[in-house]
Amino acid sequence: MMPGPGSPLALLGALAGADVIRTGAADLEAVQQDHRRLYRGKALALALPRTVDEVSRILAFCHARRIAVVPHAGNTSYCGGATPDESGTQLVLSLRRMDKVRSVDPGDYSMVAEAGCILANLQQAAEAAGRFFPLSLGAEGSCQLGGNLSTNAGGLNVVRYGMARDLVLGLEVVLADGRVLSTLSTLRKDNTGYDLKSLFVGAEGTLGVITAASLRLFPRPRDVATAFVAVPEPRTAVELLARLRESSGDRVGSFELVPRVAVELVARHVPGVAAPLGIGSPWYVLCELTSPRADEGLGALLERELAAALEAGLATDAAVAQNERERQAFWRLRESIPEAQTREGASLKHDVSVPVSRLPDFLRRASAWVQGHVEGAVLVAYGHVGDGNLHFNLGQARGADAALLKSQEPAIRRAIHDLVHEFGGSFSAEHGIGRLKVDELARYAPPLELELMRAVKRAFDPHGIMNPGKVLKT
Ligand code: MLT
Ligand code: ZN
């Protein structure tokens, strides 16, 4: 329906710029549901600004009129962080038209890019300049920089390069009242007061809207050695990780744990993905060593270390990729796990982390709990073991009822997260809080931390218009 001439939407449309405010059904439909289909909201309208100035005008207007704004990037959130509520009063703001790489400076090892850039395009822009942008995750073909930074995304290279936060040198942010905070510097050293930019990373759009960022680049990896390794248990995987870090001079770029059930799921649902070592082992590891030096000899080193690991009983079989095609095949298997799980049926996801050394014990205790208490589910626990981060997911068992699994969700969530807490871990390692884990944050965060978070929220967003209901309870 078209807004009447004097309505707030019509005024916003006139102020924001031609063709910025959309109310068509197709435009709204695309942003009203999260990709896991956990939430379906109803948007007031969709704003598609092309410039920082347009974002600023939109927010100033919404601030004055107390209109809630829901920043929305690639819609790949696992926690419903970018979906409007059901009220029909929230404006969804997408920066997908702000997708320019503003500059790449190879000498400075930095680039400045707008929030609407698709992650894979940023990786390519860095590569075209002979540099490397290490943020990498399954959704990189569609997720956007603004979402990556707002959720402090992790992904596959964290063990070496850190989370999204570690890659940020500066930010341009439009505040809730429309003012623009610009710290797009590429300085490595700048100790001038509070680190304001850091507050917006991981804030999930609840404090302001990130419109651009200056990012850290690295030398390109020129020697890469990748292996798919069968291991008898998670404990030996963690031991193998420690050994490889030591013997390679900390060249481990990725270290991912894959259970047999995940290999089976991928083989069943994702055509063309092969299991490099069959399905005879209960656990596998995908590990990758990288170096910016072309002549590091990482392939030979990895072969040597894996032979020693086989000898020591830390591994039972191993395949080292002999070429880029084989390497891609290993990665395709790992990256297809979420898709295979979705195709198999319903799933309950727990994105948890514990100290790496405690991960085997955690897995043992958590798996035993699932075995004794959960009906009609298959445990698919996999992930970024190099970072102590597991996707402890429970999938609908074949022939079981999805409703049966869902009905157990509150009890399962409580038991798993309580155990994570006991292990000194986090109930949200890399997916954020969104709407899904608001109650979990309220439950597990120390009261003083919550008090300070609320004070920060009030300081940046006094009228509570920025992504209300996400991260903190409203
Ligand atoms: C992954 O590492 O594949 C993801 O973060 C997705 C998941 O939780 O399943
Ligand atoms: Zn992950």
Side-chain angles (χ1 to χ4, degrees), residues 401-418:
D401 187 5
L404 171 67
L405 181 62
K406 294 234 164 94
S407 68
Q408 302 168 85
E409 176 165 24
I412 296 173
R413 189 194 310 127
R414 186 57 53 241
I416 300 304
H417 289 170
D418 278 355

Side-chain angles (χ1 to χ4, degrees), residues 181-378:
L181 176 74
S182 187
T183 60
L184 280 178
S185 106
T186 59
L187 293 176
R188 310 289 156 146
K189 298 183 91 170
D190 180 16
N191 280 351
T192 48
Y194 302 139
D195 184 11
L196 293 174
K197 70 177 182 307
S198 208
L199 286 170
F200 297 95
V201 179
E204 303 184 36
T206 61
L207 300 180
V209 179
I210 296 173
T211 48
S214 42
L215 302 163
R216 210 181 268 272
L217 300 180
F218 294 84
R220 274 169 55 193
R222 289 179 195 276
D223 191 3
V224 177
T226 311
F228 204 77
V229 187
V231 295
E233 50 176 330
R235 185 188 56 77
T236 54
V238 168
E239 214 171 311
L240 180 62
L241 168 67
R243 279 194 180 203
L244 281 176
R245 287 192 67 174
E246 183 85 29
S247 60
S248 69
D250 230 356
R251 297 284 192 266
V252 178
S254 308
F255 198 90
E256 299 283 316
L257 186 68
V258 177
R260 172 169 42 210
V261 61
V263 179
E264 287 167 347
L265 282 179
V266 171
R268 185 144 68 235
H269 294 293
V270 188
V273 183
L277 299 173
I279 52 160
S281 171
W283 297 96
Y284 300 88
V285 156
L286 198 177
C287 64
E288 187 158 279
L289 306 182
T290 65
S291 167
R293 282 181 44 178
D295 57 354
E296 194 95 344
L298 292 182
L301 189 145
L302 189 55
E303 303 251 6
R304 238 180 6 256
E305 284 305 314
L306 291 175
L310 288 168
E311 185 101 332
L314 297 182
T316 53
D317 200 1
V320 176
Q322 298 302 312
N323 49 48
E324 184 56 21
R325 192 180 45 77
E326 282 184 17
R327 174 179 173 264
Q328 296 285 348
F330 293 177
W331 276 112
R332 225 175 5 259
L333 167 57
R334 161 61 185 93
E335 292 193 308
S336 301
I337 299 173
E339 178 190 338
Q341 254 215 292
T342 307
R343 294 201 183 172
E344 179 77 359
S347 58
L348 308 180
K349 289 178 183 275
H350 306 90
D351 167 38
V352 304
S353 65
V354 296
V356 179
S357 59
R358 304 194 70 191
L359 195 131
D361 278 346
F362 169 79
L363 245 177
R364 194 176 40 74
R365 296 250 320 261
S367 311
W369 186 89
V370 168
Q371 229 164 28
H373 295 83
V374 182
E375 255 185 278
V378 175

Side-chain angles (χ1 to χ4, degrees), residues 79-137:
C79 301
T83 309
D85 71 9
E86 296 75 16
S87 67
T89 62
Q90 301 189 324
L91 178 74
V92 175
L93 175 69
S94 163
L95 302 196
R96 68 178 185 239
R97 285 158 137 185
M98 293 179 60
D99 63 351
K100 280 189 264 328
V101 175
R102 291 188 190 162
S103 60
V104 184
D105 185 341
D108 196 34
Y109 282 82
S110 67
M111 73 178 162
V112 177
E114 293 181 345
C117 288
I118 299 225
L119 176 55
N121 295 344
L122 291 177
Q123 296 164 347
Q124 277 161 24
E127 192 171 335
R131 295 292 177 254
F132 180 57
F133 183 57
L135 189 64
S136 172
L137 39 121

Side-chain angles (χ1 to χ4, degrees), residues 334 384 391 430-431:
R334 161 61 185 93
H384 321 290
H391 298 306
E430 63 166 5
H431 293 168

